[in-house]
Amino acid sequence: MEQRTPDQLVEWAYDQFLEQAADMLAPEQIVDITLEFEQRGAVEATLPNGDWSTELGVPVDMERWVEVWVGLLDHQDEFEVIYATFLLPRYLNEHPVHVRWHRQQQA
């Protein structure tokens, strides 16, 4: 079965992020993303966190899924803020996308 490349997965997550962010994040977060993403923004693929199993109701197969983070980096190139976490299928014939939006709560 043919798999998506890491670059394809990152691009797919970022496209989904751009399409949905305005509806899913707080206005202040959109301002931060707009002003800072070019210099500090990052989209990174990683192994899925096991806690997706609770959300999906089944164990997450590490061979089948990839987790992608979208956020801003700090001065040490580590994620300071994560705006969205995507769970994407590696295989080209699979299309379900799961997203956790990390919306700031207004004080």
Side-chain angles (χ1 to χ4, degrees), residues 5-58:
T5 67
D7 286 345
Q8 288 172 321
L9 290 159
V10 164
E11 185 176 318
W12 185 17
Y14 188 60
D15 287 346
Q16 293 285 313
F17 178 80
L18 291 176
E19 287 174 19
Q20 300 173 33
D23 295 328
M24 303 305 291
L25 297 174
E28 300 82 22
Q29 291 176 291
I30 300 301
V31 170
D32 288 346
I33 293 164
T34 303
L35 295 176
E36 299 188 42
F37 201 84
E38 188 171 317
Q39 289 194 339
R40 300 192 316 134
V43 183
E44 187 174 303
T46 185
L47 291 174
N49 190 317
D51 65 355
W52 284 102
S53 297
T54 304
E55 213 167 298
L56 301 178
V58 295

Side-chain angles (χ1 to χ4, degrees), residues 1-2 4 90-96:
M1 215 178 281
E2 194 171 354
R4 293 176 176 91
R90 292 179 190 264
Y91 296 111
L92 285 171
N93 65 334
E94 296 180 355
H95 301 285

